Amino acid sequence: MTRVTSADVARESGVSRTTVSYVLNDKGGDAIPEATRQRVREAAARLGYTPSAAARALRRGRSDLVLLVLPDWPIGPVIDTLLDQLTGELAGRGLSLLVHHARGSRPLADLWRAVTPRAVLGLVPFAPDDERAMRQAGIQVVGSTLDANTDPGTFSVPQIAIGRLQVEHLVARGRRVVAYAGPDDARLAPFADRRRAGVAAACEELGLAAPVSAALGLDVAAAADVVRSWRSAPEPVTAVAAYNDEVALAVVAGVRAAGLRVPDDVAVIGVDDVPAARLASPPLTTVWQAIDAQATYLAASVMAALDGTDEPPRPDDVFHVVVRSST
Amino acid sequence: MTRVTSADVARESGVSRTTVSYVLNDKGGDAIPEATRQRVREAAARLGYTPSAAARALRRGRSDLVLLVLPDWPIGPVIDTLLDQLTGELAGRGLSLLVHHARGSRPLADLWRAVTPRAVLGLVPFAPDDERAMRQAGIQVVGSTLDANTDPGTFSVPQIAIGRLQVEHLVARGRRVVAYAGPDDARLAPFADRRRAGVAAACEELGLAAPVSAALGLDVAAAADVVRSWRSAPEPVTAVAAYNDEVALAVVAGVRAAGLRVPDDVAVIGVDDVPAARLASPPLTTVWQAIDAQATYLAASVMAALDGTDEPPRPDDVFHVVVRSST
DNA sequence: CTGAAAGCGCTTACAG
DNA sequence: CTGAAAGCGCTTACAG
């Protein structure tokens, strides 16, 4: 079973390969009569002709593929929606999005060399060597930062703002001694660190003491221990900003296990507004993220970087606090 | 900035392109002296030479890429881990895994034509046309089924077994009137249907009445309505098998909002053992999945299909019930 | 309006 | 031990 090539289509329809190429790529203006076009298209369909992507890429010097390198993060709804949006936007430009889950398994170079994509997108910065090599190979590189947007051709995800929002809410609720509860999962460290930084910055701005912090497993007994230690400090903790809703639920369970009440003794605020937050008792105050707006913004940033145009404007109200009974 | 080719490396190291190719691909046995090899490799490194994947694929007639087509599902931990494992396994065979999130954006054909992968992996069956076209283009197709494993070159994910496990547990707890609570999300329908089928089959086998069922949004009031209607039936429901832990938590909240108690009036069992299940009150009984074992099995199935060898044995104990206080 | 020919960069028989 | 040459399948100036 050998491959059907444009030569086969040419033979079948009684024209040259040139004409086949012109017809199938809609080139050559109206020089080619409709009857010929018809004949070529029918022959191609009949034979099941599929242009060789390799040959085409070799000839054109570039492919129609965009490679997105995903860091070793648990895939959340923002990324999930981002993939949706990117796939659609790129398809509109004739490009296909391919995702590589970087798990440290193979050098990145092996991959982009094997794919030779038009562009490579990263959600975290690339190693300088990789980036240089990709550019040298004529591949456009679109980087990313987790927060501040320094370089052009870069897009970013604000994390610090989330921590700030949590503290502002807790202070508005009259709390003055804030702790930060981070996740156990090392893969989340980049985010968790940013959010902790946001909590710390907000505390400083608002004249609070620097927040104590701890990494919490999702375990009631361990959470209770942490809560007890926070409460036995000279300035007992009265409010906890958690990395996300899961950690927040663990804190709530820990507070209860320590014989204290939420929010009377300790107020707790999460992030994400997962379904369990609403269903918990007490229902959890949390930071809601506008997933669609964020994903749309990210996708627009990527497209701007690809096209070399200006950054799109940041969307407003990407986050806001959903007030429930845990604070 | 033009591309560095093997001709450049040849010139730089004073040998022919043939020799460059042999050295860089470790071909030609020990015909080429180590000194020459060294010289070629150094020149390649100095020049930053990157073989053209397109040219190589054109010449060899195949690429080193494997394309995984992901359905429009929310990515859970099983898939996540599967990606890890597959990436690793394939890397060991010199293949790179690329993931395409099928969101109905572009015809699948555009994609595999643009990539010309060695193989295409699907988690749901492909359209017959697509499958035929891919095979004709010399691409190996590895399909999948959600449950029964009929065809060779196919791998499967048992869903029905989960529903069965739930019912067996509920019956062991003395319940005889079982309901099934499904999710609201249409994207989950393929799974939800299988699990409901498992619940129904188990009820029949164990001599129970056919289960009533409902799709539940993650909303307390709506869940309470459903619970009330289930309770006001001639045979009031005393046990609920939920699609997953989130739905189960909604049922629990609904039972409470309806003024009833869990598990005294209604027992509830979920699936997944998410952290919130353990942290809930009452802690949720649920079906735990051996994610690693499942992913390993799936990865092994894929590799077996690729290599044309026998299916690996099903792992034991992929699921089991984690008993807590909600049943 | 259509075709012959060059060339993209690689690998690999083949010849020496 | 090494090189000249063919050829993978395509696109595109160029010539007619």
Side-chain angles (χ1 to χ4, degrees), chain A residues 222-258:
Chain A
D225 286 344
V226 171
V227 167
R228 268 189 286 262
S229 79
W230 281 344
R231 291 291 290 180
S232 62
E235 293 272 358
V237 166
T238 56
V240 178
Y243 169 71
N244 65 7
D245 288 342
E246 285 180 359
V247 172
L249 289 174
V251 172
V252 169
V255 170
R256 251 198 313 250

Side-chain angles (χ1 to χ4, degrees), chain A:
Chain A
M1 189 224 61
T2 65
R3 187 175 236 295
V4 178
T5 72
S6 74
D8 298 319
V9 178
R11 199 176 313 116
E12 178 84 3
S13 51
V15 299
S16 71
R17 283 157 66 217
T18 305
T19 304
V20 170
S21 176
Y22 280 160
V23 169
L24 263 26
N25 292 302
D26 276 323
K27 288 269 170 79
D30 38 29
I32 301 166
E34 190 50 38
T36 307
R37 293 181 178 278
Q38 203 91 28
R39 212 146 27 91
V40 170
R41 277 195 268 261
E42 280 170 16
R46 193 163 349 113
L47 264 33
Y49 170 63
T50 291
S52 152
R56 179 177 278 174
L58 178 57
R59 169 67 226 224
R60 288 195 177 149
R62 57 194 175 73
S63 77
D64 294 330
L65 261 19
V66 171
L67 181 66
L68 174 65
V69 180
L70 230 45
D72 185 13
W73 296 338
I75 306 301
V78 172
I79 303 270
D80 219 52
T81 311
L82 171 63
L83 293 182
D84 271 356
Q85 307 246 9
L86 276 181
T87 302
E89 295 272 2
L90 290 169
R93 287 164 164 75
L95 301 171
S96 291
L97 181 69
L98 249 26
V99 180
H100 179 67
H101 292 249
R103 288 334 201 301
S105 45
R106 279 187 97 179
L108 182 58
D110 285 358
L111 189 66
W112 63 256
R113 284 174 181 172
V115 189
T116 38
R118 182 87 62 91
V120 174
L121 276 29
L123 291 188
V124 290
F126 293 108
D129 281 356
D130 275 332
E131 180 154 351
R132 200 175 318 119
M134 289 190 278
R135 290 194 197 283
Q136 189 178 346
I139 297 172
Q140 191 173 358
V141 179
V142 179
S144 167
T145 57
L146 277 181
D147 256 303
N149 202 342
T150 45
D151 304 323
T154 269
F155 63 97
S156 66
V157 192
Q159 296 297 326
I160 288 184
I162 296 177
R164 170 166 294 130
L165 219 48
Q166 292 180 303
V167 174
E168 285 167 358
H169 171 73
L170 293 172
V171 169
R173 292 297 225 199
R175 308 294 164 136
R176 308 280 307 167
V177 186
V178 174
Y180 171 81
D184 225 3
D185 188 335
R187 302 178 302 166
L188 296 171
F191 298 101
D193 287 349
R194 298 297 176 133
R195 291 193 185 165
R196 178 156 46 79
V199 168
C203 284
E204 185 168 352
E205 280 169 27
L206 298 171
L208 308 188
V212 291
S213 74
L216 245 71
L218 299 172
D219 173 78
V220 179
D225 286 344
V226 171
V227 167
R228 268 189 286 262
S229 79
W230 281 344
R231 291 291 290 180
S232 62
E235 293 272 358
V237 166
T238 56
V240 178
Y243 169 71
N244 65 7
D245 288 342
E246 285 180 359
V247 172
L249 289 174
V251 172
V252 169
V255 170
R256 251 198 313 250
L260 300 168
R261 288 161 309 164
V262 173
D264 312 57
D265 299 308
V266 181
V268 180
I269 179 169
V271 179
D272 284 345
D273 196 16
V274 300
R278 198 183 335 155
L279 302 169
S281 70
L284 191 68
T285 296
T286 186
V287 177
W288 172 87
Q289 310 195 39
I291 288 170
D292 281 339
Q294 273 200 88
T296 302
Y297 164 71
L298 285 181
S301 298
V302 169
M303 300 317 296
L306 277 180
D307 298 343
T309 55
D310 281 346
E311 274 276 309
R314 288 274 170 122
D316 290 336
D317 192 31
V318 179
F319 312 108
H320 67 244
V321 174
V322 179
V323 182
R324 300 206 179 92
S325 339
S326 70
T327 55

